[in-house]
Every structure is written in C-alpha cells, then in structure tokens.
Amino acid sequence: MNCNALIVSSPTIDIININNTEIVCAGGPPLYAGFALKKMNCDVYFYGPIGFETEKTINLQEKYNIITLGVHQEVKGAIFYHKYNQDKRTTKFIGEIMTIDVNDLINKTKNIKFDFIIISPIFNEIPPEQIKLLNKPIVLDPQGYTRSLKQWMDLVPFNYIDLIHVSSDDVPLDFIKNVITNSILLYTMGIENTIIINKNDIKEIRPSGNVVNDRTGAGDIITGLVSYYYFYRKLNIIDAYNKAQENFEKIIKEINKIKYTF
C-alpha cells in the first residue's frame, strides 16, 4: 500500500537572485516536498492558500500528480525574493496570503488516512494553536511562523508534534533546542552540518554529496524524505536522514529543471 502524505502550506512564486542574475520559478513546500515524496511513490495531497499568481505553480504540481485540496483566495499568493551570497541566503516575503479554515481542511481530509502530515507555513496559513486539531503524526517546519509571529514559540504546541525541521537560516540552534522535549529536532545548516536531537541523544552529521548551486527548497525536500523514511518505512531517525541524503542530490537537480516550466 502506498504512503499517503498531506502537506499543509502554500505554493509560491520564487524570484531568485544568484550572482546578481534574477530568475523566476515555481516553488513552495507542496512542490518541493511533494515532488520528493512522489519519487518515493507516495500519494501526496496539498492543502493551503492559492493566489491568482500562484495558480501557475498549482498547475505544475498537478502535472506531477500532487493532489490539490487547497482553497483559492482573492489575493496574489505567496511570492518570495531569494538572494544568494556565497553559501548564505536572504529571503523576503513580497506576496499576500490569508489564513486557512482548518475546519474545511479537516472536512476535506476526513476520509483519508495519512501516514504523516507536514505543516510548513510560508507565513501564517494555519494558526499554530490549531495544529492540535489535526491527526498525528505531525511534522512541522516553522519557517513561516518565524517570519510572521513574534511570539510563535509560545503558540506552537511542541508536545503534540512528532518531528520538527528547523533551518539555521530561520532560527539559531540555542533558541530552539531547549523548547523541544518530546519531539525529534532535525536542525540543518546547509552544506555545513546537520544536528539531530532525539530527547537526550544528539548526533552531528555532515551532509554528503556535491554542492548544488540553487538550494532553494532543499529543506523542504529533506523534510519530506526524512518523514517518508521515518514514519512510513519505520527507519530510526539517523538512518532515515542518511537515506534522505542518498536521494537528495538527484531530486533537487530534477526539480531545479522542472520548476521553470510552469
């Protein structure tokens, strides 16, 4: 039986500046994590805000059989400006999205049994205090909360979440590690290092593979793959991360080709 995954997030349009050259492409966790999970033969569902500009990204997602459950909104949608300087990235949100109706999400998915749900807000699509309304296991990447909510750490129900992915681009390690008690923390620092904290067990792992010039979506891909290997294939978290790394480079290179075809 295939893996079933739900991604609660937003499709995006990404303006990417590398070496002062700008390119425009599709993006967002539903595309990046969704594409990676489709490569694992998962059935992938997406729910989140769709703007009139990000409709193009939805069309691309659906080409790869990512199933749309999301809601159209009368705003332009999630648009980002990413600027790369050597290995560092700065990101600015220049779009517009509105909060989703969690009851509508629950109603549209009530007959589907998910192996895991990835919540990866771009801004504040799903209020953090409403995460507890969804069925476990829950995976959270709080990247959007760090952009939109000053007191987000007081609002997120960390004890209800099973796996949390945080990037060093968004939150310092010392800022997050002390609030994670029952969850597994996957803390990525680009190509430099990855730290996995599982209760009192701390592992540092150097990512393998070659440097990819455009790493936009890298965290989303890793989040999707680790979730698949940990929750569906039932590997321990270290093996799940290592298996995700084995697939990462091939998948990000594939998606970096298709994301300009929308």
Side-chain angles (χ1 to χ4, degrees):
M1 190 172 181
N2 282 358
C3 162
N4 264 358
L6 171 65
I7 301 171
V8 182
S9 184
S10 293
T12 73
I13 299 294
D14 290 342
I15 304 167
I16 301 173
N17 182 316
I18 301 176
N19 299 324
N20 294 317
T21 299
E22 289 187 359
I23 47 180
V24 179
C25 63
L31 177 62
Y32 288 112
F35 184 84
L37 289 167
K38 289 303 298 183
K39 287 293 181 179
M40 302 295 109
N41 294 317
C42 289
D43 293 327
V44 182
Y45 298 79
F46 145 74
Y47 189 98
I50 303 167
F52 51 78
E53 291 198 22
T54 55
E55 181 72 47
K56 294 179 289 187
T57 301
I58 291 296
N59 294 337
L60 180 61
Q61 290 176 188
E62 291 178 344
K63 278 186 184 179
Y64 294 92
N65 299 315
I66 297 169
I67 301 165
T68 303
L69 301 174
V71 57
H72 290 78
Q73 299 179 346
E74 295 301 316
V75 292
K76 60 184 177 180
I79 303 172
F80 281 96
Y81 189 88
H82 304 285
K83 183 174 177 62
Y84 284 84
N85 182 11
Q86 296 179 343
D87 291 334
K88 301 296 182 183
R89 182 184 75 173
T90 57
T91 293
K92 184 177 181 181
F93 181 72
I94 58 174
E96 183 184 7
I97 53 178
M98 296 182 291
T99 302
I100 63 171
D101 180 350
V102 177
N103 289 323
D104 181 60
L105 165 59
I106 292 169
N107 185 57
K108 286 182 177 175
T109 58
K110 63 185 178 183
N111 295 321
I112 307 171
K113 175 71 171 77
F114 295 111
D115 292 283
F116 51 89
I117 298 174
I118 297 175
I119 300 173
S120 188
I122 288 301
F123 214 62
N124 185 24
E125 298 94 309
I126 175 170
E129 61 271 21
Q130 294 186 9
I131 290 174
K132 290 193 292 187
L133 299 176
L134 303 178
N135 293 328
K136 290 162 67 71
I138 298 285
V139 180
L140 174 67
D141 186 327
Q143 54 181 310
Y145 296 147
T146 69
R147 300 182 188 111
S148 61
L149 298 172
K150 287 185 179 179
Q151 304 299 324
W152 67 273
M153 292 183 68
D154 295 330
L155 300 173
V156 172
F158 288 108
N159 288 339
Y160 190 74
I161 296 163
D162 302 280
L163 173 64
I164 299 173
H165 168 248
V166 176
S167 166
S168 58
D169 290 340
D170 298 316
V171 182
L173 179 59
D174 288 341
F175 191 64
I176 188 73
K177 68 179 182 181
N178 292 327
V179 303
I180 308 299
T181 54
N182 296 326
S183 310
I184 295 171
L185 174 63
L186 176 67
Y187 189 86
T188 55
M189 293 177 275
I191 61 173
E192 296 174 11
N193 204 9
T194 295
I195 296 174
I196 300 174
I197 302 177
N198 186 5
K199 296 181 180 177
N200 294 323
D201 188 24
I202 302 176
K203 298 286 187 185
E204 294 191 26
I205 303 174
R206 179 85 177 186
S208 58
N210 300 306
V211 176
V212 179
N213 195 30
D214 178 5
R215 291 180 63 85
T216 306
D220 301 319
I221 294 170
I222 287 294
T223 300
L225 292 174
V226 170
S227 300
Y228 167 77
Y229 284 112
Y230 183 68
F231 293 108
Y232 181 70
R233 295 288 296 274
K234 307 297 183 185
L235 301 184
N236 68 61
I237 191 61
I238 303 301
D239 289 344
Y241 175 76
N242 287 332
K243 287 294 290 183
Q245 277 291 308
E246 289 177 14
N247 291 279
F248 168 76
E249 188 176 335
K250 182 173 184 283
I251 288 174
I252 197 169
K253 284 181 177 178
E254 283 188 48
I255 203 164
N256 279 348
K257 291 178 181 177
I258 68 144
K259 68 185 183 182
Y260 301 102
T261 62
F262 69 139

